[in-house]
Amino acid sequence: MNYELSDEQELLRRTVRAFAETRVAPVAEELDREERFPYDLVAEMGELGLMGIPISEEYGGAGADTVSYAIAVEELTRIDSSVAITMAAHTSLGTMPIYLFGSDEQKQAWLPRLASGQGLAAFGLTEPNAGSDAGNTSTRAELRDGQWIVNGSKIFITNAGTDISACVTITALTGDDEISNIIVPNGTRGYDISPPMRKLGWHASDTRELSFKSCAVPEGNLLGGRGRGFQQFMTILDGGRISVAAMGVGLAQGAYDLAFAYAQERQQFGRPIAKFQAVQFALADMTTEIEAGRQLVYRAAWLKDAGKDFGLAAAQAKLYTGILSNRVVNAALQIHGGYGFTEEFAISRLYRDQKILEIGEGTNEVQRMVIGKLLGL
């Protein structure tokens, strides 16, 4: 076993960390407070090549591996989850279906714009009456005169309603018990996007409800073949779990960093609280669990890069890091005491941002179902 990262991966970590600390950190609180989408930061991430890390150079991406991608997501989340999920959802959920299942024509039409960050892609799977039951699709698409006529709705969709949003890939019933994926460009008549949803956390991330009313898109916008949608989105979700698991590690690391620094500065009973055993034990537990979670994430990413079955490892990593980030951010806020309960300290933002990591991309309960199935139970 070799746990060393390559020189390229280490360079990527340093690059993303520097960007997150110098460009994201100074504005993270303001973006959160104003619930403002970070257009400037997305443009800079595009220039750095971060919006298409696993996309091949042929289509304008960086052509890097999944481990590198996980590292980048981790480093961004360490500072701000809204910026991280904007990049991760665009890549894993929005762009990857076109990259994996699109025709040459579809790839040429969409990927260069998406991989450069000039346009954002969204993934429309979740519906108002079908959350965890992702296969219970009610959105329908009927083929008429060379066009798909789409009717239905999606909810909790990331990146669909920004000024640079380019398209959404949606799941729809194209026949009895037949789910397909269809690319719907932004601006298509009959495709309506709600105002931004108000959320507990991820305030600078774009989250919308989508509705389709006799929305007509070309027949050629079918992605990867009719009736293959269910298998396609299951593949996408497997890969997406790695990025969300990386977010769990990154948020936990960020919370630990804040707690460690605060414990050294905060004086009580004549000495820094870091000198008290209770605080030391809490910090020791944090760093131990973070390292365990990081290894789960990197292993799942390595399995994917090696072309091996990674579904079980990805689900385990996602489950563990969601729970891990909950424990760490809670302990980190406790170390901050009453100050941590105020918006003046960044730990309060991390505390709010954490909960969705146990819900999005499959709840903790769904992860346990997936793991149980893959164990043959």
Side-chain angles (χ1 to χ4, degrees), residues 132-369:
S132 294
D133 186 8
N136 187 21
T137 302
S138 60
T139 298
R140 292 184 173 274
E142 182 181 350
L143 190 59
R144 300 180 198 164
D145 301 323
Q147 291 185 314
W148 292 106
I149 309 301
V150 184
N151 288 280
S153 61
K154 303 291 181 177
I155 199 167
F156 308 133
I157 309 305
T158 303
N159 291 338
T162 75
D163 293 344
I164 57 173
S165 295
C167 65
V168 60
T169 299
I170 65 166
T171 55
L173 287 168
T174 51
D176 294 336
D177 298 321
E178 179 186 270
I179 298 176
S180 302
N181 284 337
I182 298 173
I183 304 171
V184 181
N186 278 55
T188 302
R189 181 179 297 181
Y191 170 26
D192 296 319
I193 302 171
S194 78
M197 301 181 74
R198 297 190 64 192
K199 310 184 293 291
L200 172 68
W202 287 5
H203 285 172
S205 167
D206 181 77
T207 309
R208 312 273 184 149
E209 183 172 4
L210 315 180
S211 62
F212 305 90
K213 299 175 182 176
S214 298
C215 174
V217 297
E219 182 178 0
N221 284 26
L222 184 71
L223 188 64
R226 186 166 177 165
R228 298 180 183 176
F230 186 85
Q231 292 81 7
Q232 289 173 359
F233 78 66
M234 291 301 289
T235 299
I236 295 302
L237 290 178
D238 280 344
R241 288 181 184 124
I242 296 176
S243 63
V244 178
M247 288 189 69
V249 172
L251 188 140
Q253 184 67 58
Y256 167 81
D257 292 343
L258 293 173
F260 184 87
Y262 183 82
Q264 308 251 13
E265 298 168 1
R266 176 65 168 165
Q267 297 276 334
Q268 289 286 279
F269 305 102
R271 53 179 172 163
I273 62 173
K275 297 298 182 182
F276 292 97
Q277 189 180 69
V279 175
Q280 292 177 1
F281 279 14
L283 293 169
D285 286 345
M286 287 185 210
T287 188
T288 301
E289 292 194 55
I290 289 168
E291 191 56 36
R294 182 174 287 117
Q295 295 308 317
L296 280 174
V297 174
Y298 290 4
R299 179 175 180 272
W302 175 83
L303 287 170
K304 186 174 186 295
D305 288 333
K308 301 177 183 292
D309 290 337
F310 67 94
L312 176 61
Q316 290 171 332
K318 201 276 181 184
L319 172 63
Y320 183 78
T321 58
I323 297 170
L324 155 70
S325 60
N326 183 306
R327 286 198 295 258
V328 171
V329 77
N330 187 67
L333 193 147
Q334 190 74 15
I335 288 174
H336 281 75
Y339 288 106
F341 197 64
T342 70
E343 292 292 342
E344 295 180 16
F345 283 74
I347 191 62
S348 64
R349 172 167 50 85
L350 271 65
Y351 187 85
R352 288 186 284 102
D353 286 342
Q354 183 280 325
K355 188 57 188 177
I356 190 61
L357 298 179
E358 300 181 83
I359 299 172
E361 280 280 346
T363 63
N364 290 352
E365 292 75 19
V366 166
Q367 300 310 311
R368 292 184 174 102
M369 290 168 57

Side-chain angles (χ1 to χ4, degrees), residues 96-107 183 222-224:
M96 199 55 67
I98 300 174
Y99 183 59
L100 292 181
F101 309 118
S103 64
D104 289 340
E105 183 179 359
Q106 289 170 334
K107 291 178 181 179
I183 304 171
L222 184 71
L223 188 64

